[in-house]
Amino acid sequence: MTAASRPGVPWRRLLPTALIPNVLHGAAQGAAVPTIPLAAVSLTGSSATAALVAAMLTVGQLPLTLPAGWLVARFGERPAMLAGTAATGSGALCAYLASSPAILTLGVLLIGVGVAVFAMARHAWITASVAGVVRGRSLAALAGATRLGMFAGPFLAAAAFQLCGEARGGFLTVVAMSGLLAVVVSCVSFPKPDGGETEPRQSPNVLRTMWQRRDVLLRLGLTISVVSTMRHTRRILVPLVGTSVGLDDVTVAVVMGLASGVDFSLFYLGGVVADRWGRLPVALSALVGFGLSHLGLALATQLPAGQWWYLASTMVMAMANGWSGGVVATVGSDLADPRSPAPFLSSWRLTTELGSAVAPLAVAALAGAISLPAACAMLAILAGAGAAALPSSFRRHLPGELS
């Protein structure tokens, strides 16, 4: 395909149907993240209980991945987006009105359910409506829109804290963002991907799709899930290692802020490389970067110039994270049937997010059983093993022009 004939990213289609909704959805998530533990502490007075309630946000997402795929395949992307938005808004309202930990936990679970359904619907929509040669940039832009919303969300929650005079006021931000999101999704046009009539929707069999595609899920899915694992372990390790090398809380926060800037600046470049030179260079280089940066964090606690090692490793980790922002979702879209992508994508998301779910537990277990540097070193080894296994998995399962 020549440069002249290569299709461009359909920005006019994506902006109202995916990017603007993703910013609003990301803002709702970003507002919920600090609000949940603060509201739980205010209600229960226990940090341990607050941590358990906050964990329900993830617990609500992972088990709903497969049912979300069925919902999207059965009823379509727009109805699923609206259902997910309604669940998120209802959960936030329930959490705001909660008078007991049980009601608060139920509200947080509903928010997680809504996030799972909305994420599945938007992923399926991009897969069905965007050509493979521009899918990397499209999904990278989607990841960037989420980052923008997640960045704005905590500030909106902070404003709600001030207006309401209590932490649970942040849930009203989630309700407001969900309401605005529902209006946008209801009003925008979702054009048919091929410009023609759609076939009648049949009842999908998500479990059968998972069984039929088990080879690619177990080989490529589990291998590339290491990228997702690394992206989540950094959120825990960067502040912990920062304090262990002698930095105060403010300095650690500044370093993480700088890293977020580096992260955000690279998300679209990763999509450009994925479309032009293939998905493998993006995923492989990200794993190498994650491996080196985790190793650097391990060394930072042992070497005299530990603070400089920490700063350099954090920046490398941010580069790897930003660079790989949409690659896991892009590979899943490449492997899905564009006529009905949701059944496979639900299995793909479940497989690739397992590492994200166990990452906090793995870090805690390794750091507690051995030490924090040992946990960093073990994760560096995991990244190296993933990088070693990735090329053969790509060659086996992904078309040559995409890999």
Side-chain angles (χ1 to χ4, degrees):
M1 182 179 293
T2 64
S5 62
R6 185 184 297 272
V9 178
W11 295 115
R12 290 185 178 180
R13 178 189 298 174
L14 293 183
L15 187 63
T17 60
L19 299 183
I20 292 176
N22 236 42
V23 172
L24 297 173
H25 188 252
Q29 289 185 74
V33 168
T35 301
I36 292 169
L38 293 175
V41 167
S42 177
L43 185 63
T44 67
S46 168
S47 297
T49 303
L52 182 62
V53 172
M56 293 301 106
L57 186 63
T58 301
V59 170
Q61 293 180 47
L62 198 60
L64 264 291
T65 303
L66 294 181
W70 179 89
L71 182 68
V72 174
R74 183 68 181 85
F75 298 103
E77 289 83 4
R78 189 209 295 267
M81 286 184 184
L82 290 173
T85 302
T88 299
S90 299
L93 185 59
C94 177
Y96 175 74
L97 298 174
S99 58
S100 69
I103 301 299
L104 177 61
T105 301
L106 176 62
V108 174
L109 279 169
L110 278 174
I111 294 174
V113 168
V115 169
V117 174
F118 187 90
M120 175 57 60
R122 73 190 178 195
H123 193 178
W125 167 247
I126 294 289
T127 302
S129 61
V130 174
V133 293
V134 295
R135 195 174 285 146
R137 280 168 285 173
S138 300
L139 284 165
L142 200 69
T146 300
R147 282 173 167 81
L148 181 59
M150 291 287 288
F151 174 78
F155 294 101
L156 296 174
F161 295 166
Q162 289 289 335
L163 290 174
C164 296
E166 53 186 349
R168 66 175 180 169
F171 288 120
L172 295 180
T173 300
V174 182
V175 173
M177 291 297 103
S178 298
L180 187 56
L181 176 57
V183 171
V184 171
V185 173
S186 299
C187 293
V188 300
S189 172
F190 281 69
K192 297 180 178 64
D194 57 0
E197 295 296 322
T198 57
E199 298 179 0
R201 292 186 182 272
Q202 300 178 351
S203 181
N205 193 320
V206 174
L207 293 178
R208 182 171 59 197
T209 301
M210 175 185 280
W211 177 253
Q212 291 173 344
R213 305 293 301 275
R214 63 189 182 278
D215 185 51
V216 66
L217 292 171
L218 291 174
R219 290 177 180 269
L220 182 53
L222 287 179
T223 303
I224 204 171
S225 72
V226 178
V227 175
S228 300
T229 302
M230 297 295 114
R231 291 164 62 83
H232 281 72
T233 56
R234 71 184 183 89
R235 300 177 183 176
I236 305 169
L237 292 175
V238 168
L240 291 178
V241 175
T243 57
S244 69
V245 298
L247 298 178
D248 57 49
D249 293 345
V250 174
T251 305
V252 171
V254 169
V255 170
M256 294 184 70
L258 292 173
S260 296
V262 172
D263 181 327
F264 189 78
S265 68
L266 291 174
F267 74 87
Y268 191 71
L269 179 60
V272 171
V273 172
D275 283 340
R276 189 170 296 273
W277 289 288
R279 297 13 172 174
L280 180 59
V282 176
L284 186 60
S285 59
L287 282 176
V288 171
F290 279 128
L292 292 174
S293 57
H294 277 83
L295 183 60
L297 289 180
L299 294 173
T301 61
Q302 308 297 317
L303 298 177
Q307 294 182 356
W308 290 106
W309 277 93
Y310 167 76
L311 179 61
S313 299
T314 302
M315 293 303 117
V316 172
M317 193 175 289
M319 293 172 65
N321 190 64
W323 174 261
S324 61
V327 70
V328 176
T330 302
V331 173
S333 295
D334 293 335
L335 295 167
D337 181 356
R339 295 169 298 180
S340 181
F344 173 77
L345 288 179
S346 61
S347 301
W348 177 261
R349 293 178 69 89
L350 178 64
T351 304
T352 56
E353 289 176 6
L354 283 174
S356 306
V358 303
L361 300 177
V363 171
L366 288 170
I370 312 175
S371 66
L372 185 59
C376 296
M378 291 295 291
L379 289 166
I381 293 172
L382 176 62
L390 206 57
S392 60
S393 298
F394 264 80
R395 286 193 294 268
R396 180 183 178 92
H397 296 289
L398 207 62
E401 68 272 14
L402 295 177
S403 64

